[in-house]
Amino acid sequence: MGFSRSALYKPKTDWAAKDAPVIDALNEIIEQRPRWGFWKCFTRMRKDGKTWNHKKVHRVYCDMKLNLQRRTKKRLISRERQPLGIATDINVIWALDFMRDTLYDGRPFRTLNVIDEGNREALRIECGTSIPSAILLRTTNQLIEVYGMPKAIRVDNGPELISGTLLSWAEKRGIAIQHIQPGKPQQNAYIERYNRTVRHEWLGQYLFRTIEEVKDTATEWLWTYNHERPNMALGGITPAQKLRRQMEVQSSG
């Protein structure tokens, strides 16, 4: 069989008994310091006069399953409660949020949705396979050139929306970034309701093959939403009609 006689008759090593001193030393440390990792334990053992090398100690450490990731409580960002008042004035508070969908071949894409809470007007649907902070700021700057500077932007706690890039940009322009509390989407209810409409009346109605198709249909649907679709929250008029009425009131006042 090609198997040496010496290997066949070699007695089996009892690793549990052979490693017993290392096991006892690790148990003694872990019992007192359960949050210590391998290197802290190994350094403590060396200071106690144990001479085993780190490879042996690490093998025993792993066999004892001490290297398993330990569950810890997730630290949530602390935010002040953001009351959602009845928006009446245009260009005071914008609401911003991200959505995700996939193309027909399974590739994911994202949309950046921006609305004006004053008249529920959809200001932009930015589409792309990736929308980092740079594109977020570019889009917001373009909207400011068209609509003017808002006093505040209401957002959740996504990574792009808590970045230092966005916060420093807003501070320089005097725009307040109103982060809602984690797990409280009702504090950003205007855009959450808008996102539902986007999902049901646009994203859920098409199969997109390319990101260019997404952008083209987004532009068409945005016009329909603002100029043709009755908004029941506005009394059955469109956001464009609401905007015209508000501008007439301001000009007459």
Side-chain angles (χ1 to χ4, degrees):
M1 295 178 62
F3 195 73
S4 66
R5 186 180 297 273
S6 60
L8 178 64
Y9 289 103
K10 183 179 179 181
K12 186 177 181 180
T13 303
D14 187 356
W15 287 105
K18 190 173 182 179
D19 295 333
V22 184
I23 295 173
D24 292 341
L26 283 171
N27 280 331
E28 183 179 352
I29 296 173
I30 293 300
E31 185 177 354
Q32 298 177 1
R33 300 289 186 270
R35 299 298 301 171
W36 280 14
F38 166 72
W39 285 108
K40 280 189 173 65
C41 293
F42 178 73
T43 304
R44 181 70 264 174
M45 292 166 69
R46 278 298 176 90
K47 290 183 178 180
D48 291 341
K50 308 297 190 299
T51 58
W52 305 299
N53 65 40
H54 71 279
K55 290 183 287 185
K56 178 175 182 177
V57 176
H58 188 260
R59 175 178 58 79
V60 178
Y61 184 87
C62 294
D63 290 342
M64 293 173 66
K65 308 297 184 183
L66 298 177
N67 60 326
L68 294 177
Q69 185 177 4
R70 296 159 192 170
R71 290 175 177 260
T72 57
K73 291 184 178 179
K74 185 177 181 181
R75 295 178 179 268
L76 295 178
I77 302 174
S78 178
R79 300 287 189 194
E80 294 183 1
R81 182 176 179 274
Q82 296 293 336
L84 189 69
I86 299 177
T88 56
D89 297 328
I90 60 173
N91 213 36
V92 175
I93 300 179
W94 292 355
L96 184 152
D97 198 11
F98 290 95
M99 294 183 67
R100 183 186 182 279
D101 209 316
T102 57
L103 300 177
Y104 183 69
D105 58 8
R107 287 179 296 161
F109 67 88
R110 304 180 76 195
T111 68
L112 170 63
N113 302 337
V114 188
I115 67 169
D116 188 327
E117 292 187 358
N119 64 332
R120 313 297 199 278
E121 181 181 5
L123 306 181
R124 176 74 70 88
I125 299 180
E126 183 72 22
C127 309
T129 54
S130 176
I131 305 180
S133 298
I135 296 181
L136 169 62
L137 295 185
R138 183 191 69 189
T139 302
T140 311
N141 283 326
Q142 291 173 351
L143 291 176
I144 289 174
E145 291 179 2
V146 176
Y147 298 98
M149 194 92 68
K151 293 183 179 179
I153 300 177
R154 198 189 308 271
V155 297
D156 60 20
N157 295 278
E160 300 88 355
L161 305 175
I162 62 174
S163 66
T165 304
L166 175 64
L167 297 180
S168 60
W169 171 87
E171 184 179 2
K172 291 178 181 177
R173 287 159 177 78
I175 301 175
I177 301 297
Q178 297 182 354
H179 289 99
I180 65 173
Q181 291 177 308
K184 302 290 185 180
Q186 62 271 20
Q187 294 180 9
N188 204 3
Y190 290 125
I191 199 161
E192 291 292 343
R193 180 62 182 84
Y194 171 75
N195 288 347
R196 181 179 180 275
T197 302
V198 171
R199 179 71 65 185
H200 284 244
E201 298 187 12
W202 173 49
L203 287 177
Q205 300 298 318
Y206 296 91
L207 291 176
F208 304 105
R209 291 173 296 181
T210 64
I211 195 66
E212 286 71 25
E213 288 184 356
V214 179
K215 293 178 180 180
D216 291 341
T217 57
T219 302
E220 295 174 2
W221 185 85
L222 203 65
W223 173 266
T224 300
Y225 178 86
N226 287 330
H227 296 84
E228 297 178 1
R229 178 185 180 276
N231 192 312
M232 305 314 296
L234 302 178
I237 63 175
T238 66
Q241 290 174 321
K242 176 71 173 180
L243 176 62
R244 285 196 296 270
R245 292 184 182 182
Q246 288 178 313
M247 293 181 67
E248 290 173 359
V249 171
Q250 291 177 358
S251 61
S252 61

